[in-house]
Amino acid sequence: QLQASGGGLVQPGGSLRLSCAASGFTFSRYDMAWFRQAPGKEREFVAAITWRGGITLYSDSVKGRFTISRENAKNTVVLQMNSLKPEDTAKYYCSRLRQWAPTPLPGSWGQGTLVTVSS
């Protein structure tokens, strides 16, 4: 099970910190990722982190603004989002990856948390 939290309404230029609590599997053995889905659009990749946390990967649209991290002792993966833009508005989903390369592909999903960036 993947429980995402931390979403909300924020003004452009603001920050939010999303958190995902994992349970029911050996979290430390899996690469993890965040995806998002905006209204009327397909779900897209945002960021990923390897099982040890040593390698991270970002979509071009969030590179330099978002940071993914994990704490295996707490079964948690975090997405720190800075300099938010209206186009970041979406429902954000935590995912356990089933494939890292050539393209991160999601395995299981959480229920998502809504992020709205608006003035």
Side-chain angles (χ1 to χ4, degrees):
Q1 184 176 4
L2 297 166
Q3 184 77 27
S5 61
L9 174 64
V10 63
Q11 291 187 343
S15 298
L16 277 177
R17 183 177 184 270
L18 305 184
S19 183
C20 175
S23 61
F25 64 97
T26 307
F27 177 76
S28 60
R29 293 184 180 177
Y30 286 89
D31 301 333
M32 299 294 294
W34 289 91
F35 290 77
R36 67 186 181 187
Q37 187 167 20
K41 295 187 177 181
E42 293 188 354
R43 199 170 297 190
E44 65 173 359
F45 168 75
V46 175
I49 187 166
T50 52
W51 61 280
R52 279 188 175 180
I55 299 173
T56 56
L57 184 66
Y58 298 93
S59 68
D60 288 343
S61 61
V62 308
K63 199 174 296 182
R65 301 187 297 121
F66 290 12
T67 302
I68 188 171
S69 61
R70 68 188 296 161
E71 191 166 353
N72 285 345
K74 296 184 178 180
N75 286 2
T76 300
V77 59
V78 170
L79 186 68
Q80 177 66 42
M81 305 187 296
N82 299 327
S83 303
L84 283 161
K85 305 175 181 180
E87 51 264 42
D88 294 318
T89 295
K91 197 163 190 179
Y92 284 72
Y93 297 87
C94 175
S95 174
R96 184 179 78 183
L97 287 180
R98 59 182 171 91
Q99 174 183 296
W100 179 272
T103 301
L105 294 180
S108 57
W109 295 105
Q111 89 291 354
T113 186
L114 183 63
V115 172
T116 304
V117 184
S118 175
S119 55

